[in-house]
Amino acid sequence: MAFVTQHQIQKFREDGFLVLEHFFTAEECDSMRNQIQKIVAEMEVPPHCRTEFSTKEDEQLQAQGSSDYFLTSGDKIRFFFEKGVLDEKGNFLIPKEKSVSKIGHALHAYDPVFKQITHSSKVQELGRKLGLERPVVVQSMYIFKQPGIGGEVTPHQDATFLHTEPLGRVLGFWIALEDATQENGCLWFIPGSHTSGITRRMVRAPSGTSTCVEFVGSEPGYDDSQFIPLPISKGGLILIHGEVVHKSELNSSESSRHVFTFHVMEAKDTSWSKENWLQPTPELPFPSLYT
């Protein structure tokens, strides 16, 4: 593994992100891709669960909020779809393996391959280098970013969705399982944007309302020119501070951009918001990153 230097950790603290090329081997990437192929091949999607995943706020509230399929996916392996891949009866218009947007949110807990990667010794070592004392894994996702239809992810901060007190306790690990390029939808960041807090939160709505989640506050407008692209090759890892502003564009290319990503929280002296959509359950308390 590429040894992480103090200089790199310092750079992470300044920028709010850090690119570590070739953190995982091609073999490790392929093992994750092969495993997800098996999971998709066995995927049975109950028609009422065919929610399409969207990051536009109103669609997000409508598609996710009206659906406790999303809300109760924190301790399960569930499927979310790209827009326009299902007809009004909920049947696939394209092959199902090309229709999945993401799979979440507990691959790290229930799938042996993803569990092994999440708790791999190099990830644990990186956590220790970053000074994490009691890191726990809160969620994981496999993101497909399908060719031609992989939707954009609008500028956001992860802490909008995964809120802690104090802030600054959530960290994303984003692993490129294929080369991520500007053409197929690599991540873009505003360097240093992790230092001014958050202005928007997605919270559980009071029971009895039509949606299960709602947004409080608003996302400021960001200047496109502030973003820098971070292309990264297969096996690369991007560390993402919970408050850094980032986005990805539509995938208009012919190639997919598969990613495995998981979020870690420093549990020491931290409280996880009871209003977050994602909650630990008796079946799955947040597992320790360190084994």
Side-chain angles (χ1 to χ4, degrees), residues 138-139 158-164 167 170 263 272 276-278:
V138 297
Q139 63 118 352
D158 293 342
T160 285
F161 306 94
L162 308 172
H163 191 266
T164 60
L167 283 170
V170 168
H263 283 90
W272 180 257
N276 286 338
W277 74 266
L278 176 78

Side-chain angles (χ1 to χ4, degrees), residues 34-195:
N34 293 337
Q35 188 68 358
I36 217 74
Q37 262 183 319
K38 290 186 194 133
I39 289 172
V40 171
E42 292 163 13
M43 158 177 95
E44 281 302 324
V45 190
H48 74 277
C49 296
R50 292 180 170 180
T51 53
E52 296 186 352
F53 182 75
S54 167
T55 54
K56 294 271 192 327
E57 193 163 308
D58 47 343
E59 295 171 10
Q60 202 170 31
L61 291 176
Q62 182 200 347
Q64 296 177 351
S66 60
S67 159
D68 60 13
Y69 184 72
F70 167 75
L71 219 53
T72 56
S73 64
D75 61 351
K76 299 177 190 68
I77 295 176
R78 288 193 165 166
F79 304 94
F80 303 88
F81 302 97
E82 291 292 357
K83 280 193 277 200
V85 301
L86 301 164
D87 66 17
E88 60 281 2
K89 297 195 181 70
N91 298 312
F92 289 109
L93 297 166
I94 58 173
K96 65 178 185 177
E97 65 278 2
K98 293 241 187 306
S99 67
V100 187
S101 158
K102 55 180 227 176
I103 297 178
H105 289 90
L107 287 161
H108 63 281
Y110 296 128
D111 181 90
V113 173
F114 292 100
K115 186 174 193 172
Q116 189 181 2
I117 293 286
T118 303
H119 296 278
S120 58
S121 56
K122 47 194 167 189
V123 168
Q124 297 192 38
E125 186 191 338
L126 180 53
R128 292 197 166 91
K129 284 237 171 68
L130 289 162
L132 300 176
E133 292 185 56
R134 280 182 36 219
V136 295
V137 186
V138 297
Q139 63 118 352
S140 57
M141 278 188 294
Y142 192 104
I143 304 170
F144 292 80
K145 201 79 162 178
Q146 302 281 6
I149 58 168
E152 66 168 337
V153 176
T154 51
H156 68 283
Q157 298 164 290
D158 293 342
T160 285
F161 306 94
L162 308 172
H163 191 266
T164 60
E165 286 177 15
L167 283 170
R169 301 303 173 91
V170 168
L171 179 62
F173 290 71
W174 191 95
I175 305 159
L177 306 184
E178 306 178 271
D179 294 350
T181 64
Q182 285 197 44
E183 291 67 47
N184 73 2
C186 70
L187 294 181
W188 295 67
F189 287 82
I190 301 181
S193 56
H194 60 303
T195 55

